[in-house]
Amino acid sequence: MWSTALLPAPPTPRWANDARSFVDEGMSRIADLPLEELYIDGTHVGDTGLMILSRMKTLTRLDLGDSSVTSNGICMIKQFPLRKLNISGDKVHNDGLKCLSQIKTLTELDLESCEATEDGLQFLAKLPVLAGLRLG
């Protein structure tokens, strides 16, 4: 029987990147792109990064899960024409949900492991086309 314990680990590809290396300041490099979807989940992007990204007016899908975003940052993106938003694992409280209630185009929302409470869910009733909601 052969053992792989003595084999060296394969080298890390040069293109491999740690998502945590993306930070707020880097968002200025993409803020003027006409993106419709942006996935920055698992990064160190936080409220300052969202303030920079608030120049984007074409985003319909934004994934911020497990990033450094708080309720203050969520309030900066309320003008986006978002249809899908993931803020799972972020430090978003009930006041952040209140800001989300102003995004009338939102059809899917992922709040898993957020810091909002049941009281904050009342604000989601103001979302006229919300068809999918993930809690937990």
Side-chain angles (χ1 to χ4, degrees):
M1 193 164 279
W2 293 93
S3 172
T4 59
L6 300 177
L7 296 177
T12 302
R14 286 185 294 152
W15 49 264
N17 196 0
D18 178 9
R20 291 280 175 192
S21 66
F22 292 104
V23 295
D24 291 329
E25 295 77 20
M27 296 301 98
S28 63
R29 296 181 182 191
I30 62 169
D32 294 318
L33 294 175
L35 298 177
E36 293 181 9
E37 298 183 3
L38 181 59
Y39 302 86
I40 49 178
D41 53 311
T43 67
H44 283 297
V45 173
D47 297 346
T48 302
L50 286 185
M51 182 177 67
I52 295 168
L53 291 176
S54 67
R55 299 191 316 237
M56 295 182 133
K57 304 297 183 206
T58 55
L59 279 182
T60 61
R61 182 178 186 139
L62 183 57
D63 191 335
L64 300 168
D66 297 314
S67 62
S68 299
V69 172
T70 70
S71 293
N72 291 333
I74 293 300
C75 291
M76 290 183 228
I77 62 166
K78 61 187 177 187
Q79 81 283 356
F80 289 177
L82 291 174
R83 290 191 313 263
K84 298 179 181 182
L85 177 63
N86 175 9
I87 54 173
S88 62
D90 293 333
K91 295 184 183 328
V92 176
H93 300 92
N94 293 345
D95 52 341
L97 296 188
K98 185 175 182 181
C99 288
L100 284 181
S101 71
Q102 298 176 42
I103 307 175
K104 303 299 184 190
T105 54
L106 207 54
T107 60
E108 292 182 30
L109 180 59
D110 188 340
L111 299 175
E112 183 178 17
S113 300
C114 280
E115 297 183 5
T117 66
E118 288 181 14
D119 291 339
L121 296 179
Q122 67 181 326
F123 300 115
L124 302 183
K126 298 178 181 180
L127 297 171
V129 294
L130 187 65
L133 178 61
R134 184 174 180 188
L135 303 171

